Amino acid sequence: MSYPTPTASQDVLDDTVASTNCRDDYTSFRGSCYHFGHVQGTYTESEHYCRQRGGHLADIMTSLENDFVKNHAREMQTHHWWTGLNDQVVEGHFIWDDDDTEATFTEWGTNQPEGGGEDCVALDYQDGYMWGDFPCTMQLFPVCKAQTKRRRDYRVAAS
């Protein structure tokens, strides 16, 4: 079954609907909800923080989504921001923490990824919010991502 490609006006409509279906502390973009946390934590602590708020550390799947996250991060204070990408299981094999899928889109910064003991990926404000791998024990801020209420309700009804 094929679906029509959304138009620009449909994207605006989707974001309008999504914004009404996101928690108050989340920002909507293209059918998903994003929260830029105000509490530093390790990678594991940050994932727990996001789960407590109905989401997970953000998986960034496209250049457009990456630009949204980077631009929003720039508006915040200068921080590194955890994403949900890591290579903790197999060095050099980066997977998204929420669904164990391999990253097909990346935007690595200068000389990244470095490898070694740096297994968790964050937006590096010192490198224009490009992606860098960092020790998972560093205290950074989380970028959380959640589905809109409408998408969650649909998935529950479909299962």
Side-chain angles (χ1 to χ4, degrees):
M1 177 177 236
S2 65
Y3 296 95
T5 303
T7 63
S9 61
Q10 183 64 44
D11 287 344
V12 170
L13 177 60
D14 287 348
D15 276 346
T16 302
V17 171
S19 66
T20 63
N21 288 311
C22 290
R23 290 172 46 132
D24 288 342
D25 55 347
Y26 276 73
T27 301
S28 68
F29 179 74
R30 297 180 81 69
S32 294
C33 305
Y34 299 83
H35 172 75
F36 290 76
H38 300 285
V39 178
Q40 288 183 315
T42 66
Y43 183 88
T44 301
E45 291 166 346
S46 294
E47 175 63 19
H48 181 71
Y49 171 92
C50 291
R51 289 194 185 274
Q52 286 181 316
R53 285 154 184 78
H56 54 83
L57 283 172
D59 54 348
I60 301 172
M61 308 307 282
T62 67
S63 176
L64 192 61
E65 181 179 22
N66 188 59
D67 289 346
F68 165 78
V69 172
K70 284 171 49 173
N71 289 336
H72 198 84
R74 278 188 188 102
E75 293 173 8
M76 310 293 280
Q77 293 191 16
T78 52
H79 300 300
H80 296 307
W81 296 90
W82 284 129
T83 69
L85 190 63
N86 71 79
D87 70 343
Q88 294 181 88
V89 176
V90 177
E91 184 65 32
H93 182 75
F94 288 90
I95 60 168
W96 293 110
D97 201 43
D98 68 314
D99 63 3
D100 292 328
T101 59
E102 188 171 352
T104 55
F105 168 83
T106 58
E107 189 177 54
W108 295 112
T110 307
N111 299 318
Q112 294 289 337
E114 292 180 300
E118 299 182 347
D119 294 326
C120 295
V121 178
L123 303 178
D124 183 352
Y125 81 89
Q126 293 172 319
D127 194 13
Y129 295 95
M130 301 291 281
W131 299 13
D133 58 343
F134 293 86
C136 301
T137 55
M138 283 188 70
Q139 299 283 315
L140 306 181
F141 291 87
V143 177
C144 306
K145 181 178 178 180
Q147 297 175 348
T148 62
K149 292 176 191 173
R150 182 177 70 172
R151 284 190 177 189
R152 282 194 307 268
D153 293 344
Y154 174 75
R155 287 190 177 184
V156 169
S159 53

